[in-house]
């Protein structure tokens, strides 16, 4: 979020990542210096408030919206607040600003390889006397930044997508009105890289809609889980295929610190000793292969999706070779202010592979708009916590972690950065889902001594699993 704001203000010119690196640190110091703030490079409240004020005008004018390719899907950020007019073409979509300031094409070219396209495009640009400012190709994708002989700026990013390439070309002309096209290009590039490589990316910020609710977003990488660029064909489902289909490819070992291209991740927890595991429906959406890593020392356990309830964001998985695993007892209802704990595997590529345990409280007995299916909680959660257990102090599951508030959208709507506003699906909804799928749950108890946080963390870890989906 901070990096997106730094890009909007022109202080960071590299794509945002989930890591706070040297570039962001330097950019923050420069912003602080220019705004009479202590130049310590820290994203403190005073700095982020000032950053939000400085970046809001551009973000409002761009008004990015997630826009999918007509037949390849892959939603990317599109600056539709600039009055862009769209036209469908044989390769995808084209947008243009009626004032001639900016135009963009979001295309898929069938039967074209990334390396060939990169070489041909660079050669054409040099032949036509473009000034090439930057070019790079790696891991099946490429970027070229250039200026045409007429002075129009161009930014190109394409990824290998099946037997073709998918990406966008952005043109902007500062002589017809400065729209900070290079900043638009960086944010669009980041969104395409996110959707194609499975990297984290926030929801696009934009001006609030009149009388609109500020929506929650899933705690998963907010992009389709299908990988866009593979070196090998897609892995087929691990369930018995039809006779005409070749056997499924072996599932590679997955560890929380080694997330592979095209793999989305989340958390789940067992609800009985038969290997039935609960997670969020959005964690396993459109998956062909699902595996679960437990604490038993095995690389992974194959799993299959038994049932999903997309309206309540629940999914039931059957995990192979997990009979006898410790599981959660379910408690119906909790009290406002009651202490709760969350366990999960957030940001699996950079944080601890052993899982994360956080404490908080039930801060409301309903979700956004008084949605009675949810609890609002203050226990910190991140991308990757989706589907993990929400536990009371006795070790009972009282909810399923599901969503967090979109902080930047909330800031755009209210002018304030909300903190620790997260949501969990109530076990009353989970119990109905389990009953419909003939899974017997064990009722929770609230007698005896409450668990020490360390003991509660051990209990949470023993019943949970790291879910990877391809």
């Amino acid at each position: 979020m901070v990096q997106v704001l730094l890009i909007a203000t022109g202080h960071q010119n590299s794509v945002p990542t989930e890591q706070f690196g040297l570039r962001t640190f330097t950019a923050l110091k420069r912003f602080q210096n220019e705004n009479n703030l202590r130049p310590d490079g820290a994203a403190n409240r005073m700095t982020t408030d000032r950053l939000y004020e400085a970046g809001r005008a551009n973000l409002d004018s761009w008004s990015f919206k997630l826009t999918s390719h007509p037949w390849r899907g892959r939603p990317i950020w599109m600056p539709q607040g600039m009055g862009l007019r769209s036209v469908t073409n044989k390769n995808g979509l084209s947008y243009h600003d009626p004032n001639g300031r900016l135009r963009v094409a979001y295309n898929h070219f069938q039967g074209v390889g990334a390396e060939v396209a990169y070489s041909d495009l660079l050669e054409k640009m040099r032949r036509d006397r473009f000034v090439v400012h930057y070019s790079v190709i790696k891991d099946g994708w490429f970027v070229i930044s250039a200026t045409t002989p007429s002075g129009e700026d161009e930014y190109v990013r394409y990824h290998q997508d099946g037997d073709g390439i998918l990406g966008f070309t952005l043109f902007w002309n500062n002589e017809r009105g400065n729209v900070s096209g290079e900043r638009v290009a960086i944010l669009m590039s980041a969104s395409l890289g996110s959707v194609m490589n499975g990297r984290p990316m926030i929801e696009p910020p934009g001006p609030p809609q009149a009388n609109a609710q500020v929506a929650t977003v899933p705690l998963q990488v907010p992009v389709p889980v299908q990988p866009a660029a593979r070196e090998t064909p897609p892995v087929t489902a691990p369930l018995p295929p039809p006779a005409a289909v070749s056997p499924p490819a072996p599932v590679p070992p997955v560890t929380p610190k080694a997330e592979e291209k095209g793999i989305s991740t989340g958390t789940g927890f067992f609800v009985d000793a038969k290997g039935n595991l609960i997670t969020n429906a959005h964690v396993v959406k459109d998956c062909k292969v699902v595996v679960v890593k437990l604490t038993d020392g095995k690389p992974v356990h194959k799993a299959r999706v038994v049932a999903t309830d997309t309206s309540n964001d629940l999914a039931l998985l059957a995990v192979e070779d997990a009979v006898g695993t410790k599981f959660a007892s379910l408690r119906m209802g909790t009290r406002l202010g009651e202490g709760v704990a969350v366990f999960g595997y957030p940001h699996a590529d950079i944080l601890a592979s052993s899982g994360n345990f956080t404490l908080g409280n039930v801060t409301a007995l309903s979700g956004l708009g008084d949605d009675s299916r949810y609890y609002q909680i203050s226990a910190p959660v991140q991308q990757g916590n989706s589907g993990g257990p929400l536990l009371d102090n006795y070790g009972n599951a009282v909810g399923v972690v599901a969503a967090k508030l979109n902080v930047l959208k909330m800031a755009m709507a209210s002018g304030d950065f909300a903190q620790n506003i997260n949501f969990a699906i109530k076990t009353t909804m989970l119990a109905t889902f389990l009953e419909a799928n003939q899974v017997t749950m064990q009722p929770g108890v609230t007698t005896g001594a409450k668990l020490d946080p360390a003991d509660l963390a051990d209990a949470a870890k023993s019943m949970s699993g790291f879910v990877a989906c391809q």
Side-chain angles (χ1 to χ4, degrees), residues 189-404:
S189 182
S191 72
L192 180 64
S194 169
V195 77
M196 302 303 278
N197 292 334
R199 308 304 302 173
M201 185 69 177
I202 66 170
E203 288 284 294
Q209 301 297 317
N211 302 317
Q213 295 277 357
V214 180
T216 56
V217 295
L219 293 178
Q220 66 177 119
V221 177
V223 297
V225 295
Q226 295 298 330
R230 298 185 180 94
E231 296 182 0
T232 56
V235 180
T236 56
L239 302 179
V245 180
S246 58
V251 181
V254 177
T255 63
K257 279 209 167 186
E259 198 168 327
E260 299 188 11
K261 185 182 295 184
I263 294 178
S264 68
T265 63
T267 306
F269 64 97
F270 289 98
V271 290
D272 65 13
K274 299 178 181 179
N276 287 311
L277 182 128
I278 284 292
T279 188
N280 287 144
H282 73 252
V283 171
V284 295
K285 181 181 178 183
D286 300 327
C287 287
K288 294 183 178 180
V289 171
V290 182
V291 294
V292 179
K293 182 173 176 60
L294 305 177
T295 57
D296 57 4
K298 296 181 180 179
V300 290
H301 294 255
K302 291 184 180 180
R304 63 183 177 89
V305 180
V306 176
T308 58
D309 178 355
T310 55
S311 62
N312 292 309
D313 201 12
L314 293 170
L316 176 64
L317 308 183
V319 182
E320 292 184 8
D321 303 321
V323 175
T325 305
K326 292 184 179 180
F327 60 93
S329 300
L330 304 188
R331 174 187 161 199
M332 305 301 137
T334 185
R335 299 175 62 194
L336 182 66
E338 186 171 339
V340 288
V342 166
F343 183 84
Y345 296 92
H347 292 300
D349 53 343
I350 56 174
L351 297 184
S353 62
S354 56
N356 256 249
F357 177 79
T358 59
L359 295 170
N361 299 90
V362 176
T363 53
L365 297 178
S366 56
L368 285 175
D370 287 329
D371 191 331
S372 61
R373 297 172 299 170
Y374 294 89
Y375 292 123
Q376 180 180 319
I377 59 173
S378 63
V381 296
Q382 310 294 334
Q383 292 177 351
N385 273 113
S386 287
L390 177 71
L391 303 175
D392 66 11
N393 289 325
Y394 297 93
N396 303 306
V398 294
V400 183
V401 177
K404 65 186 297 183

Side-chain angles (χ1 to χ4, degrees), residues 65-76:
K65 302 288 190 303
L66 283 176
T67 302
S68 298
H69 189 272
W71 56 86
R72 300 302 295 180
R74 320 296 190 192
I76 67 171

